[in-house]
Amino acid sequence: MDTKPWLLLPLLLALGVVLSYAVLSIPEPAQDLPTLLADSITISGAHNPVSAVLLNFRGYDTLLEMAVLLAALLGVWSLGDMPAYRGSDPDLILDIMSRQLVPVFILVAGYLLWTGADAPGGAFQAGALLGAAGVLLRICGWRIDNRYSGLPLRVLLVLGLGMFIMAGTGALLIGDEFLQYPPTLASELMLMIESAATLSIGATLAALFLGGRPKGEDK
């Protein structure tokens, strides 16, 4: 269909006006947020302000990010089964590199997960490394066994989001607000959530690389 690019100009101008109005209408913050964060970080369960914000003070954002990532994977799976693997055996260099890099990826992912409470790091960085390890293994000919392509894989994919929801529901049951952790348990709960999220993010990113719903393959 022949389209006239100039017809989009009024729409783009209107969108620009709406976005400009929205930006200019943002009210001034009622409080000094950096100061408020510094005063409240001791009850967050984390010593790193980024982790405190992402997992405690604005836990809803991270919860929705996990939900969006899972929804993206479900969208890919809805397109059909993954294509049949037609790759050949990796050459010697790639084979040696994968055997050396994958353990390093896993170790560094564990380090990023553990250090996220006190320094830059956390579940998304660690999960990205695990996802990269999965992609590298797939390129080198690794295939999903039938035993793991069904329920075990699906449990792993929803583990992070499920842990988030369970932690929030637990807070409701003890009389707090959703995702408002008790200060005495905040550190442990955040570590459990991030551990589960790391596994789910890594599995999701690797599954996205497959390009479709896993059918399982015989070894």
Side-chain angles (χ1 to χ4, degrees):
M1 182 176 63
D2 185 20
T3 58
K4 305 261 189 306
W6 59 268
L7 292 177
L8 296 175
L9 183 59
L11 179 60
L12 293 176
L13 288 175
L15 180 61
V17 170
V18 172
L19 291 177
S20 299
Y21 175 77
V23 172
L24 294 176
S25 301
I26 296 177
E28 293 294 328
Q31 295 175 303
D32 185 3
L33 293 181
T35 302
L36 182 62
L37 173 60
D39 294 339
S40 305
I41 198 171
T42 54
I43 64 173
S44 69
H47 302 291
N48 181 27
V50 176
S51 297
V53 169
L54 293 180
L55 289 172
N56 196 321
F57 303 137
R58 297 190 63 178
Y60 279 100
D61 291 353
T62 308
L63 172 66
L64 292 177
E65 288 171 4
M66 295 293 301
V68 168
L69 190 60
L70 181 60
L73 178 62
L74 295 178
V76 172
W77 280 10
S78 69
L79 300 177
D81 294 334
M82 67 180 186
Y85 181 73
R86 299 185 178 89
S88 59
D89 292 334
D91 58 35
L92 182 60
I93 296 178
L94 183 59
D95 184 61
I96 294 176
M97 182 181 69
S98 65
R99 294 175 185 274
Q100 294 178 345
L101 285 182
V102 169
V104 174
F105 284 175
I106 296 174
L107 287 175
V108 175
Y111 169 77
L112 289 174
L113 170 64
W114 182 257
T115 197
D118 303 303
F124 281 89
Q125 294 87 336
L129 274 178
L130 291 182
V135 171
L136 181 58
L137 288 172
R138 182 63 178 180
I139 293 175
C140 293
W142 182 83
R143 298 174 294 172
I144 300 178
D145 188 85
N146 283 319
R147 294 172 295 174
Y148 309 116
S149 62
L151 181 60
L153 176 60
R154 285 155 175 77
V155 169
L156 188 61
L157 292 172
V158 302
L159 182 62
L161 182 61
M163 187 64 70
F164 243 119
I165 294 174
M166 285 191 294
T169 304
L172 286 175
L173 293 177
I174 62 175
D176 291 328
E177 296 182 5
F178 187 70
L179 291 180
Q180 180 179 340
Y181 316 127
T184 55
L185 298 175
S187 180
E188 291 78 8
L189 287 173
M190 289 167 60
L191 180 59
M192 291 173 57
I193 292 172
E194 287 222 294
S195 299
T198 296
L199 296 176
S200 292
I201 292 169
T204 303
L205 294 177
L208 284 169
F209 178 77
L210 298 177
R213 183 174 56 253
K215 297 177 295 184
E217 301 169 292
D218 294 326
K219 291 285 187 179

